[in-house]
Amino acid sequence: MDTMDANCNQKERMWWAFLTSSFVTFVGGLVCILLWRLGAWLFCRVAEKPAEVVAQSPSATKMQDTGVFVKSPDPEIGWMTAVKDWAGVLISAQTVTGRILVVLVFLLSLGALVVYLLNSSDQIEKCIVFSQETLLQVDFGFNIIFLLYFGLRFIAANDKLWFWLELNSLVDFFTVPPVFVSVYLNRSYLGLRFLRALRLIQFSEILQFLNVLKTSNSIKLVTLLSTFFSTWLTAAGFIHLVENSGDPWLDFKNTHPLTFMECMYLLMVTMSTVGYGDITATTSVGRAFMVLFILGGLAMFASCVPEIIELIGSRKKYGGSYSAISGRKHVVVCGHITYESVSNFLKDFLHKDRDDVNVEIIFLHPLPPNLQLEALLKRHFTQVEFFEGSVLNAGDLARVKIEDADACLIIANKYCNNPDAEDAANIMRVISIKNYCSHVRLIIQMMQYHNKAYLLNIPSWNWKEGDDVICLAELKLGFIAQSCLAPGFSTVMANLFAMRSTVLMEEDSWQKHYLGGVAAEMYTEYLSSAFTGMSFPQVSEVCFAKLRLLLIAIELKDHNTKDKQILINPNSSYHIKEGTLGFFIAQSAKEVRRAYFYCKQCHGDIKQPDKIKKCKCMQEGPTQVVAPTKKKRNGNSNELDSPKRNIRNFHGMTSRGKKGRVIPVSLPISPSRLPDSSLPPINSPSLPNNDEARDLDCDTKKYDSTGMFHWCPSRDQEKAILSRNEAAMSVLSGHVVVCIFSTADSPLIGLRNLVMPLRASNFSYHELKTIVLLGDLDYIKREWDMLCNFPKVAVLPGSPMCRADLRAVNVNLCDMCVILSPNNQSQEQDPCLQDKEAILCSLNIKSMQFDDSIGLLQANSQGGHSWILPGTPIGGGTGRAGFLPPGFNNAFSPASSPDNNVSRRGSTMGSNVPMITELVNDGNVQFLDQDDDDDPDTELYLTQPFACGTAFTISVLDSLMSATYFNDNALTLIRTLITGGATHELEQILAEGSGMRGGYSTPETLRNRDRCKVAQIPMMDGPFQAFGNGGCYGDLFVSALKSYNLLAFGIYRFRDAECNTKNPSSKRYVITNPPYEFKLCTTDMIFCLQQFDRNPMDMRSNSFSQSQSHLMRGKQKNRPTKKK
């Protein structure tokens, strides 16, 4: 203590020494820089004159005259330049070393500020012993590093003068030298050390160097906050200094002790204009500073604080990043995210009938959700998260962990005004996602079929790796086309791949039978080893009769190529192998387990299927099916031989892996109505008949290059156009009428997707139904390039609302009238008015009456063929000649077929005309049938038009997103079943833009015709006649399977078949997979999967077509008809 007193006088003030060191350093360096610049300028002026003399020397002039360019030698880099470059690289934030050094200096500046705050509670100036002051030692070490860093910055600076005057240099001038003076004088002085707070201004730059701040709003917010706080702390430090020191001209006697926190409080109430007055500045210097600070601080407070609040308030509520949960998968859903689309998606994806879905759903959309959607997300908060962002932004993709996602699903806007623009936007989303992470699995909805070709241009798009596209137009029109061939089939398929809740009804009505089939869904399970070696019909019979399961298909694996094929209802020549995967229709996943547990030895005598469970034979292992471990899409992983495994199904089944995708073979392509004699016996040889041999010998191209569809040379549209009189003379019958409301400027519907299933090659030419397009000619011209290669397509320019046009095309004699809703709806339009044209057209046809509708039509074709050869008498000798439309010559008619008198009964009432109406809005289905009791809020699948198969909306395809995710083979199966056999090979051909190409008939292409198709066979006059009038459905199933290899899967029944009413309805409804004991009616029609008929020309009668037409159009019993 004595030593300190001897060397330091506590009462003596040495503040001037500390400030002088700072000013001397600053002014001295500034003078040196100016003198250096003055000397350099003078030296350059002197050096310019010798250079001019050299430039005018004779040797130089001679060199210019010769025109020879001589490159001057490169100047050597001096040591000063090298040191400057080294210093610049060392402090640059572009290198790791530079970033570390910048961050380190910033952290040390914060440390020096903390040391200052700790010392602020002591006296402004006091005597100390350096070796005993820990804080001073720490601060001294910090300032040595600051001095070294200042030297590096000075060396690397290009403009020394500007560097000397910048803010960071001034902070160093007034903080570093006083520390060294303090050590020399053994005296501590707070002085201007508070200026270290100005380093906080660089906080946003530091965070940018560390790649923490990426958005402009975040950078701006941090910059404003750091500027505000650094200014606040610096001003508080100055007030703390002058108030605790006093005025120098009063010999520092008017000190006003204030803590640093009190100084901050004083400045805050001053800036905010509150001014409580409890704390004030008393010194003259302090008051002068407050006057200046009020002017600047008030302006800063008024500008910065509102902007800071605005930036904080504009922060995205749904920003942030997804935090993955260990052991739980997640999928990313983007695209058209609205309350309706999200509600439909979650309703199917998280359905209660699924297995435990351990998958989290992440929605990514550029706009925040509205209140309705936000409430929906909160109800599913345990499995659903929403993030605001765009998949076109790589940063947003990183936020949702797209690289770790199990899949990414892109939802399309089904009600958009411009489908092509919607598809283009979704394709851009695919490109962005694949560019960021090429291995992520993508499932995308698209509107138009022709836009699928653009996906093939994306290098990382690979359908073999799980990428799938759900083309809404393709599937929608495919469903409608199948309904043209088998009415009600679209309802059957829509209910099978969608998750429907079971609705119980006590009263015995048609709704009870319909809802019993609605609960049926598609599942898959490995077949027990007890079925090994049995034929498919035998296994299907055992599954239905004993296990109460409907087996419709099996999966065939190629162990060499690892490709997989789906065989639907294969013939008896195929025998089940070990580990075969079966496709079932059942009520629940629990029921399907019976096929895996079944043991012939243990379960042979069991009468109740519920008792079939895992037996001792499977536990011992000799007969156990060995199946590979599957990767569950629901987030779980378990082996198939585990007794506690989850059933894989279309709604919650495992992925097939990524080594090979399913290639569907022998799929049901198109419905057929054939007579009893046309059904081949199950043991008939599969030898080519005369027609098939003739196809091989001739050079005529009858099928496309893939052999999947009928084909004809390109025809001009003028040759296919019918006038109203020509259409009436043609006496169309058994055809398909397509009512089109689209105009010349409407988006394309894609009529090719409607025609292709009706032209599948597993139909004989004479079985093809004529298609008549009724609508605006200018619009049809836009579609004709995609239709000109299909046979039997005619065009009638007109309006579907005109009854004269409808009578000209004999709408009462058609097999199906398709009413397509226009595709140019306005989103601002009332939803109830979106289907006004389709609804009015449907009601217009139903109100029509046809007097001349029953008669005998002479046709030189089979199965109700509608084209009448020229000169053939019509109507039992009436003398009215038939007319062959232009563009259809005898070469395309089955002239070799035997002549038959075809009895064709039509409809006297328009209400009996078979039709299917496409609706945009589900709620408009209530306007189609005036005799139904459907509530406007009833779900679509519970309404009468949908149950009867007379209405179809695109919303039923929403369930395909979930079905495709849980089973990557589901979409392949459904597409081939619905579209008539469209393959990836055909899509690549159509992607060229030249349309379908014809191909010569080769054994390979003709084999593609040998695929299963759907038949709708009446009970009244066919092979099932013996089972009518109270027969058992199970007996019919077994008999059809044994005798004809027909696999029945549903019934199409009159609505009032079991009711004793005076006026029974002509409407039918669908019953999917009835139980074994279900009683049959004589008027029922049976849905079944039929083998391909190689001898279609051997038909001897048309009883099926006659009886079916009669059943479709008349009443149930003794319906009155008006004879001609």
Side-chain angles (χ1 to χ4, degrees):
M1 193 64 166
D2 297 337
T3 306
M4 184 182 66
D5 293 340
N7 298 332
C8 176
N9 186 1
Q10 188 73 28
K11 296 182 180 182
E12 185 181 2
R13 303 298 298 268
M14 300 290 294
W15 58 272
W16 54 269
F18 296 94
L19 296 181
T20 302
S21 63
S22 298
F23 281 104
V24 169
T25 304
F26 171 71
V27 176
L30 184 61
V31 171
C32 293
I33 293 173
L34 294 176
L35 292 176
W36 176 268
R37 283 202 166 190
L38 179 61
W41 179 73
L42 294 176
F43 176 77
C44 292
R45 289 292 301 272
V46 175
E48 286 178 359
K49 295 182 179 180
E52 294 176 359
V53 175
V54 172
Q56 296 176 1
S57 62
S59 60
T61 304
K62 184 177 181 180
M63 183 177 297
Q64 294 175 1
D65 296 338
T66 58
V68 179
F69 175 75
V70 180
K71 182 180 178 180
S72 60
D74 294 334
E76 296 183 0
I77 299 177
W79 65 272
M80 294 183 64
T81 304
V83 172
K84 179 182 177 181
D85 294 340
W86 170 80
V89 172
L90 191 61
I91 65 173
S92 174
Q94 298 178 357
T95 61
V96 178
T97 305
R99 285 195 292 268
I100 294 176
L101 190 58
V102 170
V103 173
L104 177 62
V105 172
F106 179 78
L107 294 177
L108 293 180
S109 299
L110 294 181
L113 181 61
V114 171
V115 172
Y116 164 78
L117 294 177
L118 295 175
N119 289 332
S120 63
S121 59
D122 297 335
Q123 298 179 9
I124 297 297
E125 183 179 350
K126 66 177 182 178
C127 296
I128 61 167
V129 177
F130 179 76
S131 60
Q132 298 178 0
E133 294 291 334
T134 305
L135 292 179
L136 183 59
Q137 295 174 4
V138 173
D139 191 49
F140 183 77
F142 289 167
N143 281 273
I144 291 177
I145 298 177
F146 295 152
L147 182 61
L148 296 176
Y149 187 67
F150 178 86
L152 290 175
R153 291 171 48 235
F154 179 79
I155 295 173
N158 294 322
D159 191 341
K160 310 299 183 187
L161 179 62
W162 181 253
F163 166 78
W164 205 260
L165 298 176
E166 68 179 11
L167 180 62
N168 289 334
S169 299
L170 294 177
V171 171
D172 289 334
F173 292 145
F174 292 98
T175 56
V176 176
V179 175
F180 292 94
V181 174
S182 178
V183 175
Y184 176 76
L185 298 177
N186 286 329
R187 184 180 292 268
S188 173
Y189 179 67
L190 285 180
L192 302 179
R193 287 162 58 186
F194 58 82
L195 293 178
R196 284 292 172 192
L198 294 175
R199 285 279 190 178
L200 290 175
I201 297 178
Q202 293 183 311
F203 186 55
S204 62
E205 298 180 8
I206 300 300
L207 294 182
Q208 292 180 63
F209 294 158
L210 299 177
N211 203 25
V212 175
L213 300 181
K214 299 179 181 179
T215 62
S216 59
N217 284 344
S218 60
I219 296 173
K220 188 175 183 180
L221 177 61
V222 174
T223 302
L224 288 174
L225 289 174
S226 59
T227 303
F228 179 80
F229 279 101
S230 62
T231 305
W232 184 20
L233 293 175
T234 303
F238 185 83
I239 289 293
H240 179 269
L241 173 64
V242 297
E243 288 296 314
N244 285 277
S245 298
D247 294 325
W249 51 83
L250 297 179
D251 198 17
F252 303 105
K253 292 182 179 180
N254 59 336
T255 60
H256 181 202
L258 290 176
T259 64
F260 190 83
M261 296 302 298
E262 290 175 338
C263 295
M264 293 182 62
Y265 169 77
L266 171 61
L267 293 176
M268 179 55 67
V269 296
T270 302
M271 283 191 298
S272 61
T273 69
V274 176
Y276 291 116
D278 52 344
I279 300 177
T280 59
T282 59
T283 62
S284 300
V285 178
R287 289 178 176 179
F289 175 79
M290 291 300 297
V291 172
L292 299 176
F293 182 78
I294 288 174
L295 298 177
L298 182 60
M300 182 188 69
F301 188 88
S303 60
C304 291
V305 173
E307 193 170 0
I308 291 173
I309 295 175
E310 182 181 357
L311 290 173
I312 295 176
S314 64
R315 180 181 177 271
K316 294 181 179 179
K317 179 181 178 181
Y318 296 95
S321 301
Y322 169 69
S323 298
I325 301 175
S326 178
R328 192 176 192 181
K329 298 178 181 179
H330 76 281
V331 296
V332 178
V333 183
C334 57
H336 183 64
I337 305 299
T338 62
Y339 172 79
E340 181 183 2
S341 63
V342 172
S343 177
N344 293 334
F345 176 79
L346 294 179
K347 185 185 301 182
D348 193 82
F349 196 94
L350 302 177
H351 198 275
K352 61 182 181 180
D353 290 346
R354 291 192 188 279
D355 295 335
D356 185 19
V357 180
N358 190 23
V359 179
E360 192 163 7
I361 305 171
I362 308 299
F363 289 99
L364 182 63
H365 192 61
L367 300 177
N370 55 26
L371 296 178
Q372 193 178 18
L373 178 56
E374 190 173 24
L376 175 64
L377 297 174
K378 289 180 179 179
R379 291 196 294 270
H380 299 277
F381 72 96
T382 57
Q383 288 187 283
V384 174
E385 286 191 49
F386 187 96
F387 290 95
E388 189 176 347
S390 172
V391 294
L392 300 177
N393 189 336
D396 293 333
L397 292 176
R399 289 169 48 215
V400 297
K401 305 293 190 300
I402 192 71
E403 65 277 4
D404 299 327
D406 196 39
C408 180
L409 283 60
I410 302 177
I411 300 177
N413 181 9
K414 301 184 293 294
Y415 311 110
C416 61
N417 295 329
N418 192 341
D420 290 323
E422 177 69 14
D423 286 344
N426 286 334
I427 292 174
M428 285 301 301
R429 293 185 176 100
V430 174
I431 295 174
S432 175
I433 296 171
K434 285 293 186 180
N435 184 58
Y436 181 83
C437 182
S438 61
H439 70 270
V440 67
R441 183 189 179 204
L442 274 175
I443 302 174
I444 175 178
Q445 281 185 344
M446 295 190 68
M447 299 297 299
Q448 300 288 8
Y449 181 80
H450 59 268
N451 290 328
K452 292 173 63 176
Y454 298 109
L455 292 174
L456 302 177
N457 300 330
I458 304 176
S460 53
W461 177 269
N462 189 354
W463 65 272
K464 293 183 178 180
E465 298 295 329
D467 295 333
D468 273 318
V469 53
I470 300 174
C471 182
L472 299 177
E474 174 191 24
L475 295 175
K476 175 189 68 176
L477 296 176
F479 272 92
I480 295 175
Q482 295 298 337
S483 295
C484 296
L485 299 164
F489 183 70
S490 60
T491 300
V492 174
M493 287 302 303
N495 288 333
L496 284 179
F497 67 74
M499 298 295 291
R500 308 292 193 194
S501 299
T502 303
V503 180
L504 300 178
M505 300 190 65
E506 296 181 357
E507 58 179 358
D508 191 9
S509 60
W510 71 269
Q511 289 97 334
K512 180 179 180 180
H513 301 312
Y514 167 71
L515 293 175
V518 165
E521 289 135 6
M522 285 188 180
Y523 298 88
T524 60
E525 181 57 275
Y526 284 90
L527 296 175
S528 169
S529 58
F531 298 117
T532 303
M534 299 173 61
S535 65
F536 179 85
Q538 292 173 339
V539 176
S540 184
E541 178 184 351
V542 173
C543 289
F544 188 80
K546 196 168 189 64
L547 308 182
R548 297 299 189 263
L549 301 174
L550 178 56
L551 177 65
I552 62 172
I554 55 176
E555 183 185 76
L556 179 64
K557 297 181 180 179
D558 189 337
H559 297 288
N560 296 327
T561 62
K562 297 183 179 180
D563 288 333
K564 303 171 185 178
Q565 299 175 346
I566 297 179
L567 306 179
I568 293 187
N569 189 26
N571 54 38
S572 56
S573 62
Y574 181 82
H575 296 275
I576 304 299
K577 299 179 182 180
E578 189 83 10
T580 299
L581 186 69
F583 293 76
F584 297 88
I585 295 178
Q587 297 287 331
S588 66
K590 184 178 180 180
E591 293 182 0
V592 185
R593 299 181 184 181
R594 303 168 189 166
Y596 179 77
F597 292 137
Y598 177 72
C599 175
K600 187 176 183 181
Q601 181 179 356
C602 302
H603 304 142
D605 299 331
I606 294 180
K607 301 299 182 181
Q608 298 180 0
D610 296 338
K611 295 184 179 181
I612 298 178
K613 299 179 180 180
K614 189 173 184 179
C615 62
K616 296 181 179 179
C617 298
M618 297 192 68
Q619 294 176 358
E620 294 173 358
T623 61
Q624 184 176 353
V625 178
V626 179
T629 301
K630 291 290 182 178
K631 177 183 178 183
K632 293 284 289 182
R633 285 287 178 199
N634 60 4
N636 300 322
S637 176
N638 37 26
E639 297 184 359
L640 297 177
D641 53 2
S642 171
K644 296 183 179 180
R645 73 207 183 292
N646 291 324
I647 299 298
R648 295 145 303 278
N649 53 69
F650 276 112
H651 314 285
M653 71 186 305
T654 62
S655 170
R656 290 284 179 274
K658 295 187 178 181
K659 294 183 178 180
R661 289 291 304 278
V662 166
I663 302 175
V665 177
S666 300
L667 294 175
I669 302 301
S670 304
S672 176
R673 305 168 184 171
L674 300 178
D676 189 4
S677 59
S678 69
L679 299 176
I682 59 177
N683 295 323
S684 62
S686 59
L687 297 176
N689 59 0
N690 295 333
D691 294 330
E692 190 169 333
R694 184 165 55 253
D695 288 342
L696 288 171
D697 294 338
C698 68
D699 294 334
T700 304
K701 296 180 180 180
K702 297 183 178 180
Y703 307 103
D704 72 309
S705 57
T706 64
M708 303 297 288
F709 298 95
H710 285 273
W711 182 88
C712 70
S714 178
R715 295 180 293 124
D716 293 335
Q717 186 180 13
E718 289 74 14
K719 296 181 179 180
I721 295 177
L722 299 174
S723 66
R724 187 180 297 174
N725 293 332
E726 291 173 343
M729 293 289 291
S730 301
V731 193
L732 298 166
S733 176
H735 56 297
V736 176
V737 178
V738 183
C739 299
I740 304 171
F741 290 95
S742 298
T743 58
D745 56 348
S746 299
L748 295 179
I749 298 175
L751 294 176
R752 177 172 57 187
N753 300 311
L754 178 65
V755 176
M756 286 176 64
L758 302 175
R759 295 297 176 263
S761 62
N762 57 348
F763 283 100
S764 299
Y765 181 85
H766 72 278
E767 295 178 296
L768 302 181
K769 297 180 183 297
T770 302
I771 303 173
V772 180
L773 306 178
L774 174 60
D776 183 69
L777 183 61
D778 293 333
Y779 172 80
I780 298 177
K781 285 181 179 179
R782 298 169 57 198
E783 295 257 21
W784 185 251
D785 288 340
M786 296 178 287
L787 303 176
C788 59
N789 294 117
F790 293 108
K792 296 186 180 181
V793 178
V795 178
L796 177 63
S799 171
M801 301 295 293
C802 178
R803 292 193 173 188
D805 292 336
L806 294 173
R807 295 184 187 277
V809 297
N810 288 345
V811 70
N812 61 312
L813 296 178
C814 71
D815 273 0
M816 183 59 67
C817 177
V818 178
I819 303 175
L820 299 179
S821 189
N823 205 16
N824 53 352
Q825 305 296 334
S826 175
Q827 292 184 352
E828 292 77 15
Q829 189 176 4
D830 188 343
C832 294
L833 298 179
Q834 290 179 334
D835 301 304
K836 57 182 182 298
E837 295 91 349
I839 294 174
L840 292 177
C841 180
S842 175
L843 297 178
N844 181 40
I845 295 175
K846 290 179 181 179
S847 63
M848 294 175 66
Q849 294 184 358
F850 304 93
D851 295 333
D852 188 15
S853 60
I854 301 176
L856 296 178
L857 304 180
Q858 300 294 331
N860 189 21
S861 61
Q862 303 292 341
H865 182 58
S866 59
W867 295 106
I868 311 302
L869 298 179
T872 303
I874 299 175
T878 60
R880 187 161 62 98
F883 178 80
L884 188 66
F888 294 86
N889 50 40
N890 294 342
F892 291 96
S893 300
S896 59
S897 62
D899 292 337
N900 295 292
N901 290 333
V902 182
S903 176
R904 187 72 172 87
R905 188 179 300 277
S907 302
T908 59
M909 303 295 293
S911 59
N912 295 329
V913 174
M915 68 178 70
I916 180 170
T917 305
E918 178 205 355
L919 298 177
V920 175
N921 186 13
D922 294 0
N924 291 333
V925 72
Q926 60 178 319
F927 303 118
L928 290 180
D929 284 346
Q930 303 301 316
D931 60 342
D932 63 347
D933 299 328
D934 295 333
D935 187 90
D937 296 329
T938 303
E939 291 191 62
L940 176 67
Y941 78 96
L942 297 175
T943 60
Q944 177 178 294
F946 185 79
C948 297
T950 59
F952 185 85
T953 68
I954 199 173
S955 64
V956 303
L957 302 178
D958 291 338
S959 301
L960 277 178
M961 290 291 284
S962 302
T964 305
Y965 167 72
F966 287 112
N967 177 16
D968 49 6
N969 299 326
L971 184 60
T972 305
L973 177 66
I974 294 172
R975 282 188 64 249
T976 312
L977 175 66
I978 296 300
T979 61
T983 61
H984 292 283
E985 178 186 359
L986 179 62
E987 289 181 0
Q988 292 177 350
I989 294 175
L990 297 178
E992 299 294 330
S994 58
M996 299 182 66
R997 299 196 298 261
Y1000 294 104
S1001 297
T1002 64
E1004 290 75 14
T1005 57
L1006 291 179
R1007 269 198 297 269
N1008 289 334
R1009 302 180 59 198
D1010 191 5
R1011 57 192 193 269
C1012 192
K1013 54 187 175 183
V1014 174
Q1016 195 179 64
I1017 302 178
M1019 293 282 299
M1020 179 177 292
D1021 220 5
F1024 305 146
Q1025 186 174 5
F1027 299 97
N1029 196 16
C1032 182
Y1033 176 80
D1035 296 337
L1036 179 147
F1037 179 91
V1038 175
S1039 176
L1041 198 59
K1042 287 184 176 180
S1043 302
Y1044 302 105
N1045 266 354
L1046 291 175
L1047 185 64
F1049 62 89
I1051 298 175
Y1052 201 40
R1053 170 170 291 187
F1054 276 119
R1055 193 190 69 179
D1056 300 330
E1058 299 175 347
C1059 301
N1060 295 324
T1061 59
K1062 294 182 180 179
N1063 296 315
S1065 173
S1066 61
K1067 296 183 175 65
R1068 292 178 179 267
Y1069 68 96
V1070 170
I1071 305 175
T1072 305
N1073 189 25
Y1076 191 96
E1077 302 80 8
F1078 193 81
K1079 298 301 180 181
L1080 298 171
C1081 297
T1082 304
T1083 56
D1084 288 343
M1085 302 181 71
I1086 308 300
F1087 290 103
C1088 56
L1089 300 176
Q1090 181 184 2
Q1091 300 292 330
F1092 174 69
D1093 184 13
R1094 291 180 175 273
N1095 299 281
M1097 301 304 296
D1098 295 338
M1099 293 182 293
R1100 295 184 294 273
S1101 67
N1102 292 294
S1103 57
F1104 277 20
S1105 296
Q1106 298 173 22
S1107 59
Q1108 186 172 355
S1109 174
H1110 174 76
L1111 291 171
M1112 285 297 298
R1113 290 162 176 77
K1115 297 293 183 179
Q1116 177 184 349
K1117 295 181 181 179
N1118 300 326
R1119 287 170 293 183
T1121 58
K1122 187 174 181 179
K1123 294 185 180 181
K1124 183 177 178 181

